[in-house]
Amino acid sequence: MALIVHKYGGTSMGSVERIRNVAKRVAKWSRAGHQLVVVPSAMSGETNRLLGLAKELSPVSTTAELARELDMIASTGEQVSSGLLAIALQAEGLQAVSYAGWQVPISTDTAHTKARISAIDDKRVRADLAAGRVVVITGFQGVDPQGNITTLGRGGSDTSAVAVAAALKAAECLIYTDVDGVYTTDPRVVPEARRLQTITFEEMLEMASLGSKVLQIRSVEFAGKYRVPLRVLSSFTPWDIDLSEEARSGTLITFEEDEKMEQAIVSGIAFNRDEAKISLLGVTDKPGIAYQILGPVADANIDVDVIIQNVSHAGRTDFSFTVHRNDYARTLELIKRVVLPVTGAADLVGDAKICKVSIVGIGMRSHVGVASKMFSVLSQEGINIQMITTSEIKTSVVIDEKYMELAVRALHKAFDLEQPAG
Ligand code: ADP
Ligand code: ASP
Ligand code: MG
């Protein structure tokens, strides 16, 4: 008998019929003698619907007061699906109880709409498990030290599940979703993408941080920090498939490099359409210039991703960086108001129609020429690279958004990531 955490995403919880299927699957695990904690997301589309309602009333950019209310609103989606799942489990003849984040409690900091979990009290949950109940805990939400409801950022139910698994020292955390594992790239963009049986934790961390939304990055960070065994698998297999077959399916995130079966140099390709680029042209090239430009951006709590400063000509240089697209207008305005007057830039240009495409693989550590192969593939497709960043196990390029799918497909093919034919 083991303590297992299941997480079901929005599509898996998307209708009463699907919730019934989730309950049947959970019941199968419970009847096999396991202790079950289940973390559901809101029903698909519900979080967008709720946030859309708020936006109709206040289209302005986020203030601290608004962010608090957004959390009040968005967190209800998970509360509904948790209650429904508990009822469905009871209808299956199990004892089940659901808790909102604040009832557990799952404690977080005060950063509304992107809060971080600081602690999880396991007493209540353990007592229920000991009494033979299945415990359902809302994904995506927690409570701050003042008792305010917080949410963990989009996709945050993954993080709730892994954090709950870490707190309970669960034997495994199973992330049930609408694809049957982690693929070499998003199978919705490249149909030839291949499912990976295993992926190393480091690669998964890079893939998630570079835009693969199959797992929220913070869930992978938690799994790494607390060594939570983590598996991504399908909720769309028949609920009554053999339990041991189900337990081996999907993709396992591994912590040891040599556990990795597939020794490809590049394991996956990630992409991100959520960024925008800002360039200051002809700024005076002197010590402190990067700080003059990015200091005010950091003070405004805006995350900067890629940064490039060119060599200078006649004491002047060009400086470009990317931010999240949601922060684009705010950053441009800030630069115009605060930065331009002191840097004396000749021009300011912005481009929200960019994307970042990245190749990821621990094999890149020990192989040379991987980045140059990437550049050559893109040049053969006539795609201009605007920015480049690299780390030990990834190379990312910023390109025009309209070439994103072309770039991902070409790279996927060139690095031999496709399904073997037949
Ligand atoms: P859930 O609602 O279950 O949390 P998400 O939509 O958040 O599901 O994540 C699953 C989706 O992630 C898939 O439907 C797929 O389109 C997308 N995805 C992006 N990159 C990958 C990848 N490398 N492997 C698998 N799925 C991916
Ligand atoms: N419901 C939240 C969202 O749509 C959290 C999640 O699904 O993980 O972002
Ligand atoms: Mg998700």
Side-chain angles (χ1 to χ4, degrees):
M1 184 176 90
L3 198 169
I4 315 267
V5 175
H6 283 193
K7 180 260 172 178
Y8 291 90
T11 319
S12 314
M13 294 290 295
S15 66
V16 167
E17 202 39 51
R18 286 191 178 163
I19 293 175
R20 198 174 281 132
N21 263 305
V22 167
K24 287 185 192 296
R25 191 180 299 277
V26 172
K28 176 180 74 180
W29 282 77
S30 169
R31 293 206 173 98
H34 298 299
Q35 293 185 317
L36 266 295
V37 176
V38 190
V39 178
S41 290
M43 295 169 78
S44 58
E46 182 62 6
T47 311
N48 286 344
R49 188 186 74 82
L50 292 166
L51 293 174
L53 291 175
K55 205 161 188 169
E56 276 185 45
L57 290 169
S58 177
V60 293
S61 67
T62 320
T63 60
E65 293 76 25
L66 178 66
R68 181 188 181 282
E69 304 312 326
L70 291 177
D71 282 354
M72 278 293 281
I73 299 161
S75 59
T76 63
E78 270 68 14
Q79 195 169 323
V80 170
S81 59
S82 294
L84 290 172
L85 181 57
I87 292 174
L89 288 164
Q90 289 162 6
E92 288 300 316
L94 297 179
Q95 287 189 60
V97 59
S98 71
Y99 294 119
W102 64 269
Q103 292 174 308
V104 174
I106 295 179
S107 305
T108 72
D109 62 15
T110 57
H112 283 293
T113 75
K114 49 182 175 202
R116 281 177 183 270
I117 295 175
S118 48
I120 296 181
D121 188 339
D122 65 350
K123 281 195 266 330
R124 199 168 187 176
V125 179
R126 282 201 191 280
D128 282 313
L129 291 172
R133 294 185 193 104
V134 173
V135 181
V136 182
I137 300 179
T138 49
F140 187 48
Q141 58 171 273
V143 60
D144 80 359
Q146 285 76 45
N148 298 302
I149 292 175
T150 52
T151 65
L152 309 178
R154 298 308 302 268
S157 299
D158 297 331
T159 303
S160 308
V162 178
V164 164
L168 294 169
K169 301 190 178 55
E172 197 164 18
C173 181
L174 303 179
I175 306 283
Y176 287 89
T177 184
D178 56 6
V179 280
D180 63 353
V182 179
Y183 277 68
T184 46
T185 192
D186 189 339
R188 294 184 207 286
V189 170
V190 181
E192 297 79 20
R194 189 166 42 86
R195 181 172 61 82
L196 300 164
Q197 277 198 339
T198 61
I199 182 167
T200 68
F201 155 73
E202 280 176 286
E203 287 169 329
M204 194 61 242
L205 201 59
E206 288 285 8
M207 291 282 279
S209 82
L210 295 167
S212 295
K213 294 195 171 110
V214 62
L215 285 177
Q216 197 201 35
I217 171 119
R218 285 190 191 160
S219 72
V220 188
E221 286 168 359
F222 254 102
K225 189 161 171 199
Y226 297 100
R227 293 284 159 139
V228 179
L230 186 60
R231 184 181 289 275
V232 177
L233 69 171
S234 172
S235 69
F236 290 154
T237 54
W239 67 265
D240 55 355
I241 63 165
D242 180 60
L243 193 146
S244 57
E245 185 190 326
E246 184 173 315
R248 285 192 311 268
S249 67
T251 301
L252 180 70
I253 316 317
T254 62
F255 294 100
E256 305 299 330
E257 269 181 38
D258 48 25
E259 273 182 39
K260 197 174 141 67
M261 325 271 245
E262 291 139 287
Q263 289 294 350
I265 298 168
V266 171
S267 300
I269 298 176
F271 49 85
N272 182 358
R273 283 179 247 244
D274 294 340
E275 293 193 28
K277 185 174 83 163
I278 291 175
S279 302
L280 287 93
L281 308 180
V283 288
T284 319
D285 193 10
K286 58 175 192 218
I289 192 72
Y291 179 64
Q292 270 184 351
I293 297 170
L294 296 180
V297 177
D299 292 343
N301 246 330
I302 297 169
D303 283 334
V304 170
D305 183 22
V306 186
I307 304 169
I308 283 192
Q309 181 177 345
N310 287 337
V311 285
S312 62
H313 289 290
R316 301 220 157 231
T317 185
D318 299 340
F319 191 97
S320 301
F321 60 96
T322 65
V323 294
H324 194 284
R325 228 175 256 192
N326 291 347
D327 292 324
Y328 177 58
R330 197 153 67 98
T331 314
L332 263 187
E333 187 276 327
L334 183 76
I335 297 281
K336 269 188 207 144
R337 188 164 45 82
V338 181
V339 177
L340 284 191
V342 291
T343 54
D347 204 359
L348 172 68
V349 281
D351 186 357
K353 293 205 160 74
I354 56 148
C355 72
K356 191 170 73 174
V357 176
S358 312
I359 55 174
V360 175
I362 50 171
M364 288 165 75
R365 270 194 196 125
S366 47
H367 289 80
V368 291
V370 184
S372 74
K373 178 167 173 182
M374 178 187 202
F375 306 149
S376 129
V377 171
L378 296 175
S379 82
Q380 276 159 32
E381 298 295 337
I383 300 171
N384 185 39
I385 300 171
Q386 303 177 18
M387 299 169 114
I388 301 170
T389 70
T390 63
S391 77
E392 224 188 353
I393 65 163
K394 71 122 202 276
T395 301
S396 303
V397 296
V398 170
I399 59 173
D400 190 322
E401 183 188 56
K402 69 175 181 251
Y403 297 124
M404 193 197 81
E405 298 197 354
L406 176 64
V408 173
R409 290 205 181 107
L411 290 167
H412 196 265
K413 200 171 170 66
F415 283 102
D416 291 328
L417 295 176
E418 302 198 342
Q419 308 257 24

